[in-house]
Amino acid sequence: MGTRAGGRRTGPKCIAIVGPFASGKTTLLEAILARTGAIPRQNPVSSGNTVSDHSPEARAHAMSVEATIASTEFMGEQITFVDCPGSIEFSFEAEPVLAACDLAVVVAEADEKKIPALQLIMRKLDDLGVPRILFLNKVDKAISGVRDTLKMLQPASSVPLLLRQIPLRKDGVVIGSIDLALERAYIYREYAESEVARIPGDDKARELEARFSMLETLADHDDQLMEQLLEEIEPPKDAIFDDLSADLRDGVVTPVLIGTAEKGNGVLRLLKAIRHDAPDIEATRKRLGASDGGATVVQVMKTIHTPHGGKLSVSRILSGQVADGSELWLPGGDTAKVSGIYKMLGKDQFKLTAAKAGDTVALGKLDEVKTGQTLTSAKGGTKQLFMFEPPQPVFAFALRPKERKDEVKMSAAIQRLAEEDPSLSLRHNQDSAETVLSGHGEMHLRVVRERLEGKNQIPVEGHTPAVPYRETIRKSAQQRGRHKKQSGGHGQFGDVVIEIKPLPRGSGFQFTDTITGGVVPKTYIQSVETGIRDYLKNGPLGFPVVDVAVNLSDGSYHAVDSSDMAFQMAAKLAMKEGMAACSPVLLEPVMKVEIVTPSDATSKIIALIPQRRGQILGYDARPGWPGWDVVEATMPQAEIGDLIIELRSATAGVASYRAVFDHMAELTGRLADEAMNTNGKAA
């Protein structure tokens, strides 16, 4: 025992800071940077002057809205921390970051309502294979004991939460901590290093009990330690530290440290644990499956557009080194030249001459490079180590500039924002002539709009996107359409008789002809179909017509005056008059919706579905997700627009959904009238 971990891993580290919204991630980063001397003092989050809260949107909403990178030194070693947003609406920022990190510090607190959010984060770490330490924050405000808190939090973690420290209390107030591995007490001092002390006699029994529990968990992966515990032999401390490091790196336990980031308490012990226990770039390279063939390999974690420095690609150097001017191969075989290498500290950049394996730096002017890509010095490129797949958007609005002259400017600005945030989706709806921006919640798109108006100086207007209503018919009809016009010279003449019939839902449009005797020459039959199709783009209710069959059965022509245009006009006249007799009816798209929710909120979700004209198909436990359910339903698309707001309100911000088109359904009465007044012919 004592050699499993193979000693401390040296070299630059990259550590992600993750956790539920408002758990104290930014405060912890600020405390770390102050403790390591990267910034002169720790600023409270409420001041809006923290390293992470450098954007006006973050300050305005008192929340992190993007990943913030800050590099510092601790005990002679370079560590880069990446503070990732806690809100589910911005959680996509963490994925490409976590893929290239060595370790994640999960910031949590004794709040039962945040367990589902914590579970989402832990599951993502499991999926990516990232080792983690849990920093139990705000211990000075916790009502329950720390071990009771761990029992509450354990369902969020697939591996044991291993308590490494317990709080030291005096008169019911937390004044420090007891390190279970070192068997040493630390008395907290605000914004300063804790004072080392002996464990008080009254706390010795509590410490021994907690320490034995820690050793029992470690013994699950160390037979020699198990034998020592059974024989009541005190294991050597260096062997215990070796087991702690090995089990952390193997991902079989999540060590738990405690503190209060707001006061800088527990931060030094966390830093020392990171320095001693965190894996290095070699382990991260192996986890990502990067080849170790001697080439330089770079993983892009984030894209930033700066006002003066242009585009920066925040990247982890997995192997080799990068110098200013280095040429790197992109996926697909193109190359790009690095123009500037920078160390990051929030919004500030400090120029470097080169970066080596393990470093996390910003590379300048890689215009064609995207977040999540793997770059290399090897000719022809390399395999992609991480595939970034943003979740399906759940909120959208139609966007347009207030001034038409800004249309091109807005399009370019959105393109830059989408480079920074690959989870944004932009499409042009041809039916409604709308530019529709989609994202992961109302706040997500609000921040995008604020950046367009603030950072890019483009005033914009937004509204709910139009629902793609359609119309169809219930009855059949026969109608003649004659277009005749004489205005000197050649006139215009077209004459058709058509039969209009409804088709089963989902059939689309069918055109046939039963012309005999050449009453309508073949040359003009195509013209008739063209005219009918043109009419169907905008039916009697003002929407595209579907599920209709039209047969051309009769007609007549003039040898001189008939033309392609004349027969198109005749067909449109016949359709206009005939459709009115076919009982046109509005159709609305109905979606199949799959909602994932914590089980304790399932009843709320089931109750709100009928309120949105939804029909519940069923619900069941979410496979592999203890404490979560999946609710399936059908719901009109018109009711889904702001569904995510209500879902997250009912689930402390963690529910989400996927929606796919299911069928078209008839819409009548007041709702149909409202749809036509808003979007159709009555508007």
Side-chain angles (χ1 to χ4, degrees):
M1 191 171 68
T3 59
R4 291 177 58 218
R8 183 172 68 82
R9 300 291 190 262
T10 58
K13 305 279 197 313
C14 184
I15 312 297
I17 301 177
V18 296
F21 173 66
S23 57
K25 299 177 297 300
T26 298
T27 303
L28 178 61
L29 175 60
E30 195 78 3
I32 287 170
L33 296 177
R35 185 57 53 85
T36 57
I39 58 176
R41 65 181 181 279
Q42 179 177 343
N43 291 306
V45 170
S46 58
S47 72
N49 294 317
T50 61
V51 169
S52 280
D53 288 340
H54 60 80
S55 74
E57 297 81 27
R59 290 194 295 270
H61 301 295
M63 63 187 295
S64 296
V65 297
E66 60 185 325
T68 301
I69 298 91
S71 294
T72 187
E73 283 191 10
F74 177 67
M75 297 181 70
E77 293 193 11
Q78 185 82 14
I79 307 177
T80 298
F81 291 91
V82 186
D83 176 19
C84 300
S87 168
I88 193 173
E89 297 194 26
F90 301 95
S91 61
F92 51 82
E93 282 266 334
E95 290 195 37
V97 169
L98 288 168
C101 280
D102 303 315
L103 177 80
V105 173
V106 183
V107 184
E109 58 184 305
D111 187 345
E112 192 172 13
K113 294 178 182 177
K114 293 184 178 181
I115 291 177
L118 181 63
Q119 189 175 5
L120 288 174
I121 292 162
M122 292 295 208
R123 176 56 65 98
K124 181 58 62 180
L125 295 173
D126 286 343
D127 292 344
L128 295 171
V130 180
R132 78 290 316 239
I133 290 173
L134 191 142
F135 182 74
L136 187 58
N137 195 20
K138 308 177 186 179
V139 291
D140 58 331
K141 298 176 182 177
I143 298 173
S144 57
V146 69
R147 281 185 283 180
D148 289 336
T149 297
L150 252 61
K151 288 179 183 177
M152 179 181 72
L153 298 180
Q154 183 60 63
S157 176
S158 61
V159 298
L161 297 177
L162 180 69
L163 192 61
R164 280 194 59 170
Q165 298 170 320
I166 58 174
L168 185 62
R169 290 185 170 87
K170 184 177 181 180
D171 299 328
V173 177
V174 176
I175 63 166
S177 67
I178 299 173
D179 190 295
L180 301 177
L182 287 170
E183 293 192 286
R184 196 180 292 166
Y186 294 87
I187 309 300
Y188 291 150
R189 297 187 296 178
E190 283 196 18
Y191 311 116
E193 186 175 341
S194 298
E195 179 186 339
V196 181
R198 286 190 172 189
I199 299 173
D202 294 344
D203 293 290
K204 192 61 182 175
R206 188 167 62 93
E207 181 269 335
L208 288 173
E209 182 184 353
R211 186 171 189 271
F212 186 76
S213 178
M214 178 188 76
L215 295 177
E216 276 188 315
T217 302
L218 293 175
D220 289 339
H221 306 282
D222 187 328
D223 293 339
Q224 189 174 349
L225 176 59
M226 179 66 77
E227 290 177 12
Q228 289 174 330
L229 293 180
L230 291 172
E231 296 173 10
E232 298 185 356
I233 298 172
E234 178 64 24
K237 283 188 172 61
D238 62 343
I240 294 172
F241 277 108
D242 182 75
D243 275 344
L244 285 167
S245 297
D247 289 353
L248 165 67
R249 294 171 195 169
D250 291 343
V252 295
V253 299
T254 297
V256 178
L257 303 176
I258 66 173
T260 300
E262 188 177 22
K263 299 175 181 177
N265 295 335
V267 171
L268 186 60
R269 298 309 311 159
L270 173 64
L271 282 166
K272 288 187 175 180
I274 290 170
R275 182 176 182 269
H276 187 272
D277 299 336
D280 59 1
I281 190 62
E282 183 180 347
T284 300
R285 190 166 55 237
K286 183 178 179 181
R287 172 168 57 81
L288 287 171
S291 60
D292 193 13
T296 296
V297 178
V298 175
Q299 184 66 30
V300 182
M301 306 162 74
K302 181 175 171 59
T303 300
I304 302 171
H305 284 276
T306 64
H308 306 295
K311 181 177 175 179
L312 296 177
S313 300
V314 179
S315 307
R316 187 85 193 277
I317 313 301
L318 299 181
S319 62
Q321 64 177 9
V322 176
D324 199 357
S326 294
E327 192 171 69
L328 297 173
W329 288 81
L330 282 63
D334 293 330
T335 61
K337 184 175 287 188
V338 175
S339 180
I341 302 174
Y342 305 92
K343 171 185 171 182
M344 303 288 292
L345 185 61
K347 67 179 181 298
D348 299 319
Q349 299 103 40
F350 305 91
K351 194 157 189 178
L352 305 172
T353 56
K356 61 183 183 301
D359 285 341
T360 305
V361 293
L363 305 178
K365 305 294 178 64
L366 299 178
D367 292 336
E368 302 303 318
V369 171
K370 298 178 182 178
T371 298
Q373 288 185 331
T374 307
L375 316 178
T376 180
S377 62
K379 188 174 182 180
T382 186
K383 69 174 183 177
Q384 291 302 288
L385 302 178
F386 169 73
M387 302 304 293
F388 178 62
E389 295 182 7
Q392 185 187 58
V394 294
F395 193 77
F397 62 60
L399 199 65
R400 64 170 177 258
K402 289 184 178 179
E403 297 185 29
R404 193 163 186 174
K405 66 180 178 63
D406 287 335
E407 285 184 355
V408 174
K409 188 179 175 183
M410 185 187 80
S411 178
I414 291 177
Q415 187 176 352
R416 288 193 298 271
L417 291 173
E419 276 195 283
E420 294 182 330
D421 176 1
S423 70
L424 280 177
S425 172
L426 185 71
R427 63 182 175 86
H428 183 71
N429 187 328
Q430 292 185 337
D431 285 347
S432 61
E434 293 175 331
T435 298
V436 179
L437 190 66
S438 303
H440 302 291
E442 189 268 341
M443 181 60 73
H444 182 203
L445 295 192
R446 185 190 298 181
V447 167
V448 172
R449 183 170 174 176
E450 289 170 356
R451 285 177 173 167
L452 284 172
E453 296 187 325
K455 183 178 180 180
N456 296 279
Q457 299 294 302
I458 306 171
V460 295
E461 296 174 332
H463 60 272
T464 303
V467 175
Y469 292 106
R470 297 291 183 264
E471 57 180 277
T472 191
I473 56 174
R474 291 170 168 169
K475 297 180 181 178
S476 300
Q478 180 174 293
Q479 183 66 45
R480 177 179 291 274
R482 175 175 288 188
H483 176 69
K484 183 177 182 181
K485 192 172 183 181
Q486 195 72 39
S487 57
H490 286 309
Q492 298 179 34
F493 182 84
D495 177 36
V496 299
V497 177
I498 59 172
E499 299 163 342
I500 310 171
K501 296 180 181 179
L503 288 175
R505 197 76 69 239
S507 301
F509 168 66
Q510 294 177 8
F511 175 78
T512 56
D513 77 271
T514 52
I515 294 297
T516 58
V519 293
V520 176
K522 287 184 178 180
T523 310
Y524 298 131
I525 290 176
Q526 180 63 48
S527 305
V528 173
E529 181 178 356
T530 299
I532 291 169
R533 287 184 180 275
D534 193 44
Y535 173 82
L536 293 177
K537 294 176 183 176
N538 192 359
L541 303 181
F543 299 92
V545 181
V546 295
D547 304 335
V548 168
V550 179
N551 179 63
L552 173 63
S553 60
D554 201 357
S556 62
Y557 75 102
H558 189 279
V560 175
D561 292 344
S562 287
S563 65
D564 169 68
M565 185 55 65
F567 271 97
Q568 286 191 41
M569 294 300 295
K572 289 180 184 178
L573 286 170
M575 288 296 294
K576 183 177 180 180
E577 295 176 12
M579 285 287 289
C582 292
S583 295
V585 62
L586 195 64
L587 297 176
E588 68 171 343
V590 176
M591 315 296 282
K592 186 173 182 181
V593 183
E594 185 179 272
I595 301 169
V596 291
T597 174
S599 301
D600 59 6
T602 300
S603 59
K604 295 180 187 176
I605 304 303
I606 289 174
L608 72 83
I609 289 172
Q611 297 170 15
R612 291 176 174 262
R613 298 190 290 130
Q615 182 177 350
I616 298 166
L617 301 178
Y619 69 95
D620 206 345
R622 187 180 185 186
W625 284 75
W628 286 71
D629 288 335
V630 179
V631 180
E632 292 186 345
T634 56
M635 187 178 294
Q637 185 175 335
E639 301 288 344
I640 290 180
D642 61 351
L643 173 65
I644 193 64
I645 297 174
E646 196 166 1
L647 290 179
R648 288 184 175 154
S649 175
T651 60
V654 296
S656 194
Y657 74 87
R658 293 181 60 84
V660 295
F661 174 77
D662 193 70
H663 65 279
M664 300 295 287
E666 290 188 9
L667 182 65
T668 58
R670 177 182 59 82
L671 292 173
D673 292 340
E674 289 177 359
M676 287 186 286
N677 287 333
T678 303
N679 306 285
K681 187 158 286 187

